[in-house]
Amino acid sequence: MEINTEINQPSLKFQDEAIAPMHTCEHIINRTMINLFGCKRAVSAHIERKKSKLDFVLEHPLSGTDINRIETEVNKIIAQNLFVTTEFITQEEAATRFDLKRLPENASHTVRIVKVGNYDECLCNGIHVNNTSEIGTFKISTYDYNDHLFRMRFKLIKNG
């Protein structure tokens, strides 16, 4: 697997090639949650090679049908074999397109945008796969909802 290597403000954990499929899937999950439920990107994330979790602020708990919709939509995007690309732009331009509140104070003048086809784009400094065909199948293993916080735990199943 070839990986995107131009990194801005590297974080050691997100430079681990072993989590590239999971990290790229996180981007797809975030956009899917926004599209399906009108929420913002995850408020916290714990991304690992074998299993990961994301937390979203939601007004209401999700149903089993909603969980199936998330899995279906994420896997539909993965199956489109989208290219994952990067772009470098100024912080000023980024401020017109993205929420910069998570950007570190010492970030460079130029920031890195990761794009998953035309489906998602966001500020990111981690390693990703080059194409969604390298991700596998997304599966939500467990989930819960407490005090407006929806937590999903998920894994990727290797295809083939």
Side-chain angles (χ1 to χ4, degrees), residues 13-99:
K13 177 175 182 173
F14 289 104
Q15 305 317 305
D16 181 356
E17 181 179 335
I19 69 165
M22 190 70 83
H23 187 196
T24 307
C25 189
E26 174 203 358
H27 288 255
I28 297 169
I29 296 165
N30 269 292
R31 176 56 52 196
T32 300
M33 292 295 292
I34 292 165
N35 292 352
L36 292 179
F37 306 108
C39 61
K40 295 191 181 289
R41 296 184 88 83
V43 295
S44 67
H46 185 84
I47 306 299
E48 297 292 340
R49 184 176 54 84
K50 291 186 178 185
K51 61 182 177 176
S52 297
K53 67 181 174 183
L54 293 172
D55 294 336
F56 295 90
V57 174
L58 296 174
E59 288 301 311
H60 304 287
L62 298 183
S63 67
T65 301
D66 292 328
I67 299 304
N68 290 337
R69 284 177 59 209
I70 296 166
E71 287 181 346
T72 298
E73 289 301 313
V74 168
N75 285 315
K76 185 165 57 171
I77 298 304
I78 291 169
Q80 290 179 16
N81 299 334
L82 301 174
F83 287 102
V84 180
T85 59
T86 58
E87 170 187 12
F88 290 88
I89 62 175
T90 65
Q91 278 196 41
E92 290 76 24
E93 182 181 346
T96 67
R97 295 167 51 191
F98 304 99
D99 180 355

Side-chain angles (χ1 to χ4, degrees), residues 98-113:
F98 304 99
D99 180 355
L100 302 183
K101 69 180 165 195
R102 287 188 175 178
L103 195 64
E105 283 184 30
N106 64 347
S108 67
H109 176 70
T110 303
V111 294
R112 181 174 179 250
I113 308 304

